[in-house]
Amino acid sequence: MSAAPDEPAPRRTVDELRSLRRLVARLSQGVIEVDRDLLIRSVNPSAVRLCRGARLGLGEPLPEPWAAFSLREYARRLFSGPPTRAAELRVQAGGGGSGGISVWGLPPGGTDRAVLVIEERGGGRREAAEREFVTNAAHELRNPLTAITVSVEALKAGAKDDPEARERFLDHIDRECGRLARLTEALLTLARLDTGEQEPRLDVVELQPLLERVAARVTTRPGVALEVSCARDVVVVANSMLLEHALGNLVENAARYTREGRIEIVVASAGSGTLVVEVSDTGPGLPAGDTDRLFQRFVRGRGLPAGEGFGLGLAIANQTVRAVGGTLALESRPGAGTTARVTLRSGKLVTG
């Protein structure tokens, strides 16, 4: 699915978005994207089926499919207040159905759109995995898509007439398109893992260049140093794409909450054929008891600034690390920063 390196950035963006739309169109859940005016911006076929004849045209107002529950009011609440948690509730299906449906939503975060997901009640593994994928995708894809949108708007506003500014914004779009491609591939792989359709392919991965790529993509606050300490010959047995995605999540999480000091990525041997990648920061730290619960979805650290993140990054990182056969643990104290430890199976690079 990844685009060729020399493919133009706008074309790469379009191709990746088309791939995502095809996937969402095949989901059994209904997916509706709405803007702040509660106008429909995208909708998949399952949403039309589950809303039982309600009008779901692009650009039209979000309808009220059920008399006992206001979908519009539920969507409106997603836009009001800090987006710290996606809510869920259940309404009874109409039309003589034997079961019910669930309605839940993901707040807009840094964008102007929220996502509504409608699904029939069921406890199957595949249904739960598909729902998990929708949540992951909506969360993870916001940042690159927002960055691309901002850059395009800057170009339209006049930056395109300044050669230096134009090149800067085009380079930014190109980097974010590459990130979008990697995210899409990682999320699709995780979806297949969850449904049992595919096991990750494990290879010998050189760790130092992977960590350098992760660090190069992360923007820290002014004055915050980001350092990588890893010998050039260190290798692990993992899936390169998934491991890069997981470590990128950990470093971006550290950068989000570290306002001064430093972030360090350090690799050390742990013995017994394993090694540890530590991502340490000098952020606010976490209260006692928060380190385990942060691996749950939509759970954020107590006392952290409102509106910073959805509480999904660590949950996704943990899922991804486990997918490549590793473990993830957190150590933190209030006021003393946080350290994320990823334990992996070490490998051996054979040359010649």
Side-chain angles (χ1 to χ4, degrees):
M1 179 175 294
S2 300
D6 58 349
E7 192 172 356
R11 173 61 183 275
R12 292 170 62 186
T13 307
V14 170
D15 288 346
E16 294 301 330
L17 290 176
R18 284 175 177 167
S19 296
L20 283 170
R21 289 193 187 103
R22 285 195 296 268
L23 180 67
V24 172
R26 293 196 298 266
L27 292 176
S28 60
Q29 291 93 350
V31 180
I32 307 173
E33 185 183 39
V34 296
D35 62 19
R36 292 183 180 275
D37 295 323
L38 302 188
L39 299 179
I40 297 172
R41 294 305 175 189
S42 65
V43 60
N44 72 346
S46 291
V48 176
R49 173 177 59 83
L50 293 171
C51 286
R52 301 186 180 277
R55 189 175 180 87
L56 293 173
L58 296 182
E60 295 187 356
L62 184 68
E64 295 284 18
W66 306 284
F69 166 66
S70 174
L71 185 63
R72 288 180 61 82
E73 180 58 31
Y74 179 73
R76 187 176 289 111
R77 290 201 301 269
L78 295 174
F79 290 97
S80 60
T84 57
R85 183 180 179 89
E88 179 179 344
L89 66 152
R90 298 184 183 275
V91 297
Q92 191 66 27
S98 58
I101 61 172
S102 296
V103 180
W104 59 282
L106 192 68
T111 72
D112 62 351
R113 299 183 182 185
V115 177
L116 296 164
V117 178
I118 305 165
E119 62 181 352
E120 294 174 304
R121 293 184 184 179
R125 181 184 179 193
R126 187 179 189 90
E127 287 76 13
E130 287 178 345
R131 171 177 171 176
E132 194 165 296
F133 171 78
V134 173
T135 304
N136 287 351
H139 169 69
E140 292 288 339
L141 293 171
R142 289 186 194 277
N143 287 341
L145 290 177
T146 299
I148 291 169
T149 300
V150 170
S151 296
V152 170
E153 289 176 349
L155 289 169
K156 288 181 177 179
K160 64 179 182 298
D161 299 322
D162 182 337
E164 183 177 346
R166 181 175 64 244
E167 288 304 312
R168 183 172 68 253
F169 282 114
L170 287 175
D171 286 344
H172 190 54
I173 290 172
D174 187 59
R175 286 195 303 273
E176 294 300 326
C177 284
R179 184 183 179 195
L180 180 61
R182 289 188 296 273
L183 282 172
T184 303
E185 189 65 30
L187 289 167
L188 288 171
T189 299
L190 287 173
R192 298 184 191 110
L193 292 172
D194 284 343
T195 58
E197 294 179 7
Q198 175 181 319
E199 291 296 323
R201 176 179 176 179
L202 302 183
D203 296 306
V204 174
V205 179
E206 296 183 66
L207 203 50
Q208 200 255 5
L210 184 148
L211 294 177
E212 293 290 351
R213 290 196 301 272
V214 167
R217 291 198 303 271
V218 175
T219 301
T220 61
R221 298 177 187 270
V224 175
L226 175 56
E227 302 174 354
V228 176
S229 177
C230 177
R232 295 186 61 86
D233 60 348
V234 173
V235 295
V236 294
V237 178
N239 179 285
S240 178
M241 178 189 62
L242 292 177
L243 180 60
E244 186 170 338
H245 182 66
L247 293 174
N249 254 342
L250 295 175
V251 178
E252 287 175 356
N253 198 64
R256 181 178 297 116
Y257 297 110
T258 303
R259 301 181 181 277
E260 58 183 15
R262 65 188 342 103
I263 299 168
E264 296 179 310
I265 309 173
V266 179
V267 179
S269 173
S272 301
T274 62
L275 57 79
V276 175
V277 182
E278 292 190 348
V279 179
S280 302
D281 64 56
T282 54
L286 298 166
D290 268 16
T291 52
D292 289 335
R293 53 189 293 275
L294 287 179
F295 291 136
Q296 302 171 28
R297 294 175 182 278
F298 303 112
V299 172
R300 300 175 65 250
R302 290 171 290 178
L304 294 178
E308 292 195 7
F310 292 98
L312 279 169
L314 287 174
I316 295 172
N318 186 45
Q319 179 188 11
T320 310
V321 169
R322 288 190 288 109
V324 299
T327 60
L328 172 60
L330 293 179
E331 181 180 305
S332 184
R333 288 187 296 116
T338 300
T339 297
R341 292 189 176 90
V342 178
T343 303
L344 300 163
R345 184 156 58 99
S346 58
K348 183 176 182 180
L349 192 61
V350 178
T351 59

